[in-house]
Amino acid sequence: MLSNILKRRALIATRAYGSTPELVNTENLIDLRSDTVTRPTKKMREAMASAKVGDDVYGDDPTMNALEGEIAKLFGKEKALFVPSGTQSNLIGMMINVKIKGEGAILGHLSHVYNIERGGISAVGGIHPIVAANQPDGTINLEDIQASIPPNSIHLSQPRVIALESTHNLCGGSVLRPKYIESVKKIARKHKLRMHLDGARCLNAAAFLDIDPAVMVKDFNTVNFCLSKGMGCPVGSLVIGNEEDIAFARVLRKMLGGQMRQVGILAACGLVSLDGWKERLNNDRLLAQELATKIFDMEEYYGNDPATIESNIFRFAVKDKILKHHKVDHAGFCKLLSDNGVLMNPSFQNDCIRIVTHSDFKEPQIDKVIKVFKKLATTK
């Protein structure tokens, strides 16, 4: 049992991001591995070139100050803090909420924090993961959350935070509903627990739900939000919360080596990305639905109803007769796709393939992808 769990967690990281990175020229390929592969737009590059900058460690970078202010306002919180990566943002957020080493965090067994952040909350934060099962839609059953809270005992690690994820990466880009979040908050309030949202793609979720991001995250003490995923920026994430928590986040960022200097050149990209974000992210979802529909129109591939796709992520499987014909598994099928100019990643269980649409993927490219799929579908 334990051996299977360890193997599964190793596969999650390897198949989500690869093991040892290979040098690949992706310039002429259709890259659907992730929305992290986007390149800065012309407007972003122009904004970077003209950005007013200062030393952000001293709080003197006006463009960064503007970005952090805009993000805090968008999410209805008092403050936001820019950090280099979503992994660091989640780590800081969790360390804000769990200040005593050995205390715990309730989180899903398929959560990004638990699986794909190198165990940072434990190794660096001293936070004990209290793991509950994710459902296919990314939720954790309320009964399982309640059961994860132990009696108050000197012998038992006590949870201090419940961490949720939306959109949920390893659950097919699923979106948490406000009513579910409110139900979890009731449990948290009853047990005096805090709430953290791994919202790396939470604007994708807000776009799908068609609600104000501030309303969507109102029940969370801290939020991680990535600019380098659906937003199309080259670098950066933000920790978002109240003034006291973000003041502590600055201390943690310093300790973790996340402070940078004239980062206005990066903040400028973030400000550009906020322009028309809802329409752009909805378009990513519609492209995912259109691509899924055309893939599933071929009998050799199958997956969930494209109408149920809630963000820019979906998964599909290849029928056994095609895999046997090519003498490959799903990881091997991804290699065949790459040989034909299309990049995708297998799921961590290697039972399907993940597709992530993004701002660099355009509608005319759909037919090019389908042409490759038709070519590989033949058994002649």
Side-chain angles (χ1 to χ4, degrees):
M1 177 68 175
L2 179 59
S3 175
N4 289 337
I5 292 172
L6 294 173
K7 288 179 181 178
R8 186 196 70 207
R9 293 191 64 214
L11 285 171
I12 287 175
T14 301
R15 291 187 172 132
Y17 295 103
S19 50
T20 303
E22 297 179 6
L23 293 176
V24 178
N25 182 2
T26 62
E27 190 170 348
N28 297 317
L29 302 178
I30 298 175
D31 197 340
L32 294 168
R33 292 173 299 173
S34 176
D35 47 8
T36 61
V37 302
T38 57
R39 292 171 172 82
T41 63
K42 181 180 178 182
K43 284 186 178 180
M44 287 180 181
R45 292 181 186 274
E46 290 172 348
M48 293 171 78
S50 61
K52 294 181 179 180
V53 298
D55 191 326
D56 185 53
V57 176
Y58 289 108
D60 293 341
D61 192 300
T63 309
M64 180 54 72
N65 292 341
L67 174 65
E68 291 174 344
E70 286 297 315
I71 293 295
K73 180 180 178 182
L74 179 64
F75 286 94
K77 303 295 185 186
E78 293 176 356
K79 294 286 183 178
L81 181 69
F82 185 90
V83 300
S85 71
T87 295
Q88 187 171 115
S89 183
N90 270 331
L91 175 58
I92 289 174
M94 297 292 276
M95 291 174 71
I96 288 170
N97 291 303
V98 187
K99 292 186 171 71
I100 301 174
K101 289 184 181 294
E103 299 289 51
I106 297 171
L107 69 176
H109 82 293
L110 292 176
S111 65
H112 197 282
V113 172
Y114 180 59
N115 288 288
I116 317 179
E117 297 184 3
R118 197 64 184 189
I121 63 168
S122 300
V124 181
I127 300 169
H128 174 60
I130 302 172
V131 184
N134 282 114
Q135 300 305 303
D137 64 356
T139 62
I140 305 170
N141 283 339
L142 299 179
E143 296 81 3
D144 290 340
I145 294 176
Q146 185 65 55
S148 298
I149 303 171
N152 190 3
S153 167
I154 194 172
H155 303 288
L156 304 175
S157 174
Q158 297 299 306
R160 299 301 175 195
V161 66
I162 302 172
L164 302 178
E165 183 176 338
S166 186
T167 66
H168 201 293
N169 186 354
L170 294 178
C171 290
S174 56
V175 174
L176 298 182
R177 302 304 196 262
K179 285 187 177 180
Y180 170 77
I181 295 171
E182 290 171 6
S183 297
V184 176
K185 183 65 175 181
K186 289 180 181 178
I187 297 174
R189 190 179 295 117
K190 177 182 176 182
H191 295 276
K192 298 181 180 180
L193 306 180
R194 289 166 67 88
M195 296 265 286
H196 173 74
L197 177 66
D198 178 1
R201 297 180 177 91
C202 62
L203 285 191
N204 294 76
F208 171 75
L209 295 170
D210 193 23
I211 61 174
D212 188 328
V215 173
M216 187 179 68
V217 304
K218 64 181 176 61
D219 290 319
F220 294 95
N221 300 93
T222 53
V223 178
N224 159 46
F225 168 61
C226 279
L227 293 169
S228 58
K229 292 190 170 72
M231 303 300 287
C233 295
V235 178
S237 295
L238 292 104
V239 191
I240 312 165
N242 66 32
E243 188 167 358
E244 180 182 355
D245 284 340
I246 300 308
F248 184 42
R250 287 187 179 275
V251 175
L252 295 172
R253 184 181 71 171
K254 170 65 178 179
M255 182 179 69
L256 296 170
Q259 289 194 144
M260 296 178 286
R261 300 295 179 172
Q262 288 73 28
V263 283
I265 57 173
L266 298 177
C269 293
L271 289 169
V272 170
S273 76
L274 294 176
D275 184 25
W277 64 266
K278 183 180 289 188
E279 180 181 1
R280 192 170 65 253
L281 295 178
N282 271 327
N283 185 64
D284 289 346
R285 174 174 55 84
L286 293 174
L287 286 176
Q289 290 178 333
E290 182 179 352
L291 179 56
T293 298
K294 290 190 174 183
I295 291 174
F296 299 157
D297 278 346
M298 293 177 275
E299 66 173 18
E300 292 83 5
Y301 310 101
Y302 62 97
N304 293 335
D305 182 353
T308 65
I309 294 172
E310 297 179 346
S311 63
N312 62 329
I313 299 174
F314 73 93
R315 294 177 291 185
F316 72 93
V318 184
K319 288 194 173 177
D320 285 344
K321 67 176 183 178
I322 302 300
L323 296 177
K324 289 178 180 178
H325 171 74
H326 291 291
K327 299 179 181 180
V328 297
D329 55 10
H330 280 89
F333 195 83
C334 287
K335 177 63 168 60
L336 295 177
L337 288 169
S338 69
D339 291 342
N340 286 273
V342 178
L343 298 179
M344 297 178 185
N345 280 334
S347 70
F348 70 89
Q349 292 172 321
N350 200 19
D351 59 353
C352 62
I353 294 171
R354 187 184 80 157
I355 289 179
V356 188
T357 56
H358 48 75
S359 56
D360 282 3
F361 180 69
K362 308 301 181 184
E363 188 170 13
Q365 293 176 300
I366 289 179
D367 288 339
K368 294 181 180 180
V369 173
I370 295 304
K371 185 178 179 180
V372 172
F373 271 70
K374 288 181 176 178
K375 175 183 176 181
L376 295 178
T378 181
T379 57
K380 295 180 181 179

